[in-house]
Amino acid sequence: MKKNYFFFTLFATLTAAGLNAQTTRYVKQGGTGTGVSWQDASGDLQQMINESVAGDRVYVAEGTYIPNHKASNDMFEWLTNNPRGVTNDKAKAFVLKEGVGVYGGFSATTPVTDLSLRNFDLNETLITTDVLGNDAGFANTALYTDNYYHAVIAAGITTGATLDGFTIEGGTWSAANDYDYIVVNGTQVQQGFGGALMIVEANVAIENVKINNTGRPIYVKTSASVFKDLAVTNSFGQFEVHGSTITIENMNFSDNNGSLYLSALYNLPNNTFATLKNVVFARNTASAISIWRDAQKNTTLEIDRAQFIGNHANSYGIVQNNGGNFKMSNSIATGNTSGNQSGFIVINTLNPSIITNVEFVNCTIVSNRNNFDWGNGTGAISGGAATNAHIKIRNSIIWGNKMGDNYRNVYALNNPNFTVGNSIIQDAFDTGGVWNPNYGVNSGGNSATIPNFTQFVPVGTTAFSSGDFSLAAGSPGINSGDITAYSTLVAPSYTKDLAGNDRIMGTAIDIGAFEYLEALSIKETDGADRMVVYPNPASDKIFVAGADFPATFEMYNMAGQLVLSGKVNAQQPEIQVGILPVGTYILKVNSKANSYTQKVIKK
């Protein structure tokens, strides 16, 4: 018995060691090798994924990759499960595998094996399903009908998989049999959704991924997914999340004809819970976020450090909350327009027996417009009249929002559960100093004094993206917030304002999305003539040359607020400034040997 136990233990130890050994496989566009090294790289990305086991990695060099393997050979009719027949080429997709990480962004000419040394911005690794190369944006969706249904599928993955460092284009649009499905890893995958990423019953990490010019970009169902450094741009159709838990950190969702759509459905086993941190929704033309809940299942969305800038919706608002729980902190909404109900958010409770909790903490909602003069509409927050809508506004500024041609910021008539505290709200008091009941219940500390912004831009008839709505010197919002409310309502990990400065300084907190700091007085250093920043002015990104690398950088607005920070080196000398408002900034670059400062103009 002892001898048998020894050999069993040895076998188990060796087996476990073999399972935990990590193998890296290498892929290059046009490669013909076995994938054991960059010199012997394969050209078949899916084959390298298939040959990998849990713990393995696949490194992919810059280039263009079109799926060349079907995700499944058989198609079935939704609900009836009747066979539809054999799939065609539109069923080709890259399919992630349990426990395998797939990483793009490596140079094709001078590839490295150290993951930290790749540059996925410089070495674009493109996955596309636009086999004809004729996609032309949402102005002509008919051109997408020849594309494969999905670029990447993650299905039936329980322990996790990773996709990191890719650009994805192509995707799908509506078809006659959108709900028909294939089976991948024992999981039903519908063909008409998730043109870039189709995630079903999967635990996945999506990092450093840019989705551009794509139809129905992302679909997440009954999954647990983490997105970090994600961009969804120039795409159409929804980013859908159903019965799932997701976290999104650092996302640019801009210039799309579609929104982030969150729902919880009675026929799914889970509620939907979404956390968004440091995200930008800009210039989208079909709202930004839609939230739906079912009578049996709930949808909860928590947002911290978000910018809703220059979006337009034909109706119902930029954020449409239909019965879900919603919390937003350290965020700004400005320059948005809607054709009906609200210039920013509309709150519908749907089921009168279910309480809908909505909270705004340290937010700035300024200069938004609802173009239609509707009885219950507003320029900023609409739908707070139902008593089962429990709405709290704390430490926030709601100012200069219009319904039609008239300023109207909030509508909360006779709702005792709509409370406002330590906030600055236009027209919240009449000329005699009496609180306006249309604006909810006065919980104290409120003001209707002009906020005094750094660069105020009044609302217009169309969406805009300019202005600086940080607090200027002498603003009544400085040190006027309620620290207890912030500490009670906001997660302990949310310690920064929208510009990245400390939210609570000493015993005080400001009102609005930004903490006030004394204005900077910085002169360009002598080293600036050796450090070159180009292009300047810039609209998207700037490049740093002539500095001693590696270096760190900090960028401040003219109010002295830190708006960007990070690292630059010879391989990654660029700084992304596209999300910043138009204006003048101070760039500080620090290396071990020198420090440089330079004015930068964002146009």
Side-chain angles (χ1 to χ4, degrees):
M1 289 296 294
K2 288 183 179 181
K3 184 177 181 179
N4 289 341
Y5 178 77
F6 170 79
F7 280 112
F8 172 78
T9 304
L10 177 63
F11 174 76
T13 302
L14 293 175
T15 301
L19 288 175
N20 291 329
Q22 182 187 89
T23 298
T24 301
R25 293 172 174 80
Y26 302 87
V27 179
K28 281 186 180 180
Q29 181 180 329
T32 58
T34 62
V36 296
S37 66
W38 282 123
Q39 293 72 26
D40 193 31
S42 170
D44 193 330
L45 172 56
Q46 188 61 58
Q47 182 181 346
M48 293 298 96
I49 295 173
N50 293 344
E51 291 181 5
S52 299
V53 298
D56 287 355
R57 292 178 172 181
V58 179
Y59 288 178
V60 188
E62 60 186 314
T64 300
Y65 299 87
I66 299 175
N68 59 357
H69 298 272
K70 289 184 181 181
S72 179
N73 288 320
D74 301 307
M75 184 168 58
F76 301 89
E77 185 179 24
W78 184 246
L79 297 180
T80 69
N81 301 323
N82 293 327
R84 283 282 198 185
V86 178
T87 57
N88 56 25
D89 282 351
K90 288 170 72 70
K92 290 181 178 179
F94 291 115
V95 179
L96 300 183
K97 190 175 181 181
E98 188 86 52
V100 176
V102 183
Y103 300 87
F106 294 89
S107 170
T109 55
T110 56
V112 296
T113 56
D114 186 339
L115 192 64
S116 66
L117 297 179
R118 65 185 171 141
N119 186 328
F120 38 78
D121 288 320
L122 182 63
N123 305 312
E124 185 177 58
T125 310
L126 175 65
I127 293 175
T128 181
T129 65
D130 178 18
V131 291
L132 297 181
N134 65 344
D135 291 353
F138 51 77
N140 193 347
T141 58
L143 295 176
Y144 287 73
T145 57
D146 62 285
N147 295 355
Y148 299 162
Y149 290 124
H150 312 290
V152 178
I153 296 174
I157 295 174
T158 58
T159 61
T162 299
L163 183 75
D164 186 331
F166 289 87
T167 298
I168 303 178
E169 296 181 353
T172 190
W173 189 230
S174 58
N177 300 309
D178 276 352
Y179 288 90
D180 285 355
Y181 66 89
I182 58 177
V183 177
V184 179
N185 294 330
T187 303
Q188 294 181 0
V189 174
Q190 293 171 274
Q191 67 181 13
F193 306 89
L197 296 172
M198 186 67 173
I199 302 171
V200 186
E201 297 179 20
N203 181 353
V204 294
I206 308 295
E207 298 187 19
N208 304 306
V209 169
K210 300 177 181 177
I211 297 173
N212 180 62
N213 202 21
T214 300
R216 294 183 171 180
I218 304 176
Y219 185 89
V220 183
K221 180 179 177 182
T222 54
S223 297
S225 302
V226 175
F227 298 84
K228 187 174 182 180
D229 299 317
L230 173 70
V232 181
T233 57
N234 300 298
S235 297
F236 56 90
Q238 310 289 5
F239 175 170
E240 298 190 39
V241 181
H242 305 286
S244 299
T245 297
I246 68 165
T247 297
I248 303 176
E249 185 172 357
N250 305 331
M251 178 177 70
N252 177 22
F253 190 92
S254 299
D255 303 298
N256 301 297
N257 185 24
S259 61
L260 173 60
Y261 179 84
L262 307 169
S263 81
L265 303 176
Y266 72 94
N267 60 343
L268 297 181
N270 305 319
N271 296 323
T272 290
F273 189 90
T275 302
L276 276 58
K277 304 176 183 178
N278 194 25
V279 296
V280 176
F281 292 86
R283 301 175 303 279
N284 299 293
T285 56
S287 76
I289 298 176
S290 296
I291 307 167
W292 286 85
R293 70 155 296 163
D294 184 83
Q296 289 80 33
K297 295 290 190 300
N298 194 18
T299 299
T300 299
L301 172 60
E302 185 175 287
I303 303 175
D304 186 65
R305 300 179 64 201
Q307 300 178 61
F308 295 87
I309 301 177
N311 301 285
H312 175 74
N314 290 329
S315 191
Y316 303 117
I318 304 306
V319 176
Q320 303 167 14
N321 182 16
N322 294 286
N325 293 325
F326 177 86
K327 179 184 292 186
M328 188 168 80
S329 57
N330 302 308
S331 299
I332 188 170
T334 187
N336 303 292
T337 61
S338 176
N340 196 2
Q341 296 202 7
S342 177
F344 175 55
I345 184 171
V346 60
I347 303 164
N348 294 316
T349 55
L350 295 184
N351 191 327
S353 65
I354 297 175
I355 293 175
T356 297
N357 293 296
V358 177
E359 297 170 355
F360 301 92
V361 186
N362 282 94
C363 292
T364 300
I365 305 174
V366 178
S367 297
N368 303 286
R369 182 186 180 97
N370 164 17
N371 288 324
F372 185 72
D373 194 348
W374 175 64
N376 292 332
T378 73
I381 301 175
S382 177
T387 57
N388 63 317
H390 289 204
I391 301 173
K392 295 180 181 179
I393 299 176
R394 299 292 186 272
N395 300 348
S396 295
I397 301 173
I398 305 175
W399 195 273
N401 304 284
K402 279 188 174 182
M403 181 180 69
D405 294 327
N406 300 306
Y407 288 105
R408 190 177 188 185
N409 292 277
V410 176
Y411 185 78
L413 184 62
N414 297 322
N415 181 357
N417 298 312
F418 190 127
T419 61
V420 182
N422 292 86
S423 296
I424 300 174
I425 302 183
Q426 184 181 23
D427 298 332
F429 297 91
D430 66 17
T431 56
V434 177
W435 177 261
N436 185 344
N438 286 338
Y439 282 42
V441 176
N442 183 358
S443 295
N446 295 307
S447 168
T449 305
I450 296 174
N452 194 14
F453 295 115
T454 301
Q455 183 186 2
F456 177 73
V457 177
V459 63
T461 58
T462 58
F464 64 87
S465 302
S466 58
D468 183 348
F469 295 96
S470 58
L471 301 179
S475 171
I478 298 173
N479 296 334
S480 299
D482 183 346
I483 289 181
T484 300
Y486 186 87
S487 302
T488 302
L489 298 176
V490 176
S493 59
Y494 298 166
T495 61
K496 302 294 183 180
D497 72 353
L498 185 56
N501 298 307
D502 288 340
R503 182 76 266 188
I504 298 177
M505 299 183 183
T507 60
I509 188 171
D510 293 345
I511 294 175
F514 302 96
E515 285 292 314
Y516 172 77
L517 298 177
E518 293 292 336
L520 288 179
S521 176
I522 298 178
K523 296 181 180 180
E524 294 183 6
T525 59
D526 294 337
D529 59 357
R530 292 190 290 113
M531 182 183 76
V532 178
V533 177
Y534 66 94
N536 191 7
S539 59
D540 181 28
K541 64 178 68 175
I542 58 175
F543 294 86
V544 177
D548 299 315
F549 292 128
T552 61
F553 73 87
E554 297 173 340
M555 186 171 285
Y556 296 85
N557 63 23
M558 298 310 291
Q561 296 165 320
L562 179 66
V563 294
L564 286 177
S565 63
K567 297 179 180 179
V568 286
N569 54 49
Q571 290 75 36
Q572 292 182 292
E574 70 272 13
I575 299 173
Q576 303 289 336
V577 298
I579 65 172
L580 296 178
V582 172
T584 301
Y585 297 86
I586 300 297
L587 173 66
K588 298 179 66 176
V589 178
N590 300 304
S591 67
K592 289 184 177 179
N594 292 291
S595 295
Y596 313 93
T597 59
Q598 179 74 42
K599 286 184 179 179
V600 175
I601 298 174
K602 166 66 190 326
K603 63 179 182 179

